[in-house]
């Protein structure tokens, strides 16, 4: 018996099927690689966001530490206390974020204990490690919102102040209104607290808060 012969048309059809199968295999492989990259990128972004959020939360520890120092050192606030990261003026020449001029000489020195830079002159104080998440470090500076050192009631010192009323409960007499200070009350100074947090994967976050005392 003679072997069956395959017609030229059938051989051509088999070749087309093989080509289509190879193209489909390449497309599926490329789709799988793209999917893997998307998943990896999603995981990386999620991890970075988690680090960033933890760094921002760690910034609250710096704010709390600064408020505790202010509360315990109310008799020292008329002058700089550099060892505690406290400065009795707003230091307009300082670039707190390090992005204003590109000149490092006007930046805050965020590493506690280092020498201050020329045009800023502020060195941060360290936050105790037991107040921070593992793997994070934080330092802060406090600025009294005044133009000069000295007592806030000194005529040569101008401070941004908050006037709290001391009127009786439920009474509006003597209260503050637009363009007018209250008749009675206690003047409180504003203090700006800036905390820099550094964490894993070169995570960096700067948190600011303004408080009145």
């Amino acid at each position: 018996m003679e072997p069956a012969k395959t017609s030229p048309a059938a051989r051509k059809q088999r070749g087309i099927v093989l080509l289509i199968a190879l193209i489909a295999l390449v497309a599926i492989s490329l789709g799988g690689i793209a999917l893997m990259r998307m998943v990896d990128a999603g995981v990386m972004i999620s991890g970075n966001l988690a680090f960033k959020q933890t760094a921002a939360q760690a910034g609250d520890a710096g704010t709390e530490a600064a408020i505790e120092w202010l509360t315990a050192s109310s008799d020292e606030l008329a002058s700089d206390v550099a060892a505690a990261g406290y400065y009795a003026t707003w230091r307009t020449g300082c670039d707190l974020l390090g992005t204003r001029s590109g000149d490092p000489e006007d930046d805050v020195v965020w590493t506690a204990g280092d020498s201050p830079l020329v045009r800023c002159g502020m060195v941060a104080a360290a936050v105790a490690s037991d107040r921070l998440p593992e793997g994070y470090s934080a330092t802060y500076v406090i600025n009294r919102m005044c133009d000069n050192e000295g007592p806030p009631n000194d005529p040569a010192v101008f401070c941004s102040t908050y006037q709290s009323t001391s009127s009786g409960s439920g009474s509006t007499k003597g209260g503050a209104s637009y363009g007018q200070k209250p008749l009675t009350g206690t003047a409180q100074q504003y203090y700006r607290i800036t905390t820099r947090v550094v964490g894993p994967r070169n995570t960096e976050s700067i948190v600011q808060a303004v408080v009145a005392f």
Side-chain angles (χ1 to χ4, degrees), residues 130-151:
D130 59 358
R131 306 181 71 131
L132 299 168
E134 185 177 355
Y136 288 81
S137 62
T139 51
Y140 66 85
V141 291
I142 309 170
N143 290 100
R144 186 181 67 160
M145 303 308 288
C146 300
D147 62 349
N148 287 304
E149 292 186 65

Side-chain angles (χ1 to χ4, degrees), residues 21 33 84 88 100 113 116 163 179 190:
I33 293 171
R100 185 175 64 190
Q163 192 83 6
Y190 284 115

Side-chain angles (χ1 to χ4, degrees), residues 27-113:
I28 292 172
S29 299
L30 292 174
I33 293 171
L35 181 61
M36 290 176 61
R37 289 186 175 179
M38 289 177 61
V39 171
D40 290 342
V43 171
M44 184 176 295
I45 292 171
S46 299
N48 289 340
L49 286 174
F51 283 125
K52 194 71 174 179
Q53 289 174 351
T54 304
Q57 293 170 0
D60 293 338
T63 302
E64 292 168 1
I67 291 174
E68 289 178 7
W69 186 89
L70 287 169
T71 304
S73 309
S74 58
D75 57 343
E76 303 179 53
L77 302 181
S79 301
D80 293 350
V81 185
Y86 173 78
Y87 301 89
T89 59
W90 44 48
R91 299 291 180 105
T92 56
C94 287
D95 184 5
L96 290 172
L97 303 182
T99 58
R100 185 175 64 190
S101 66
D103 184 354
E105 284 297 326
D106 61 5
D107 293 351
V108 177
V109 175
W110 290 108
T111 303

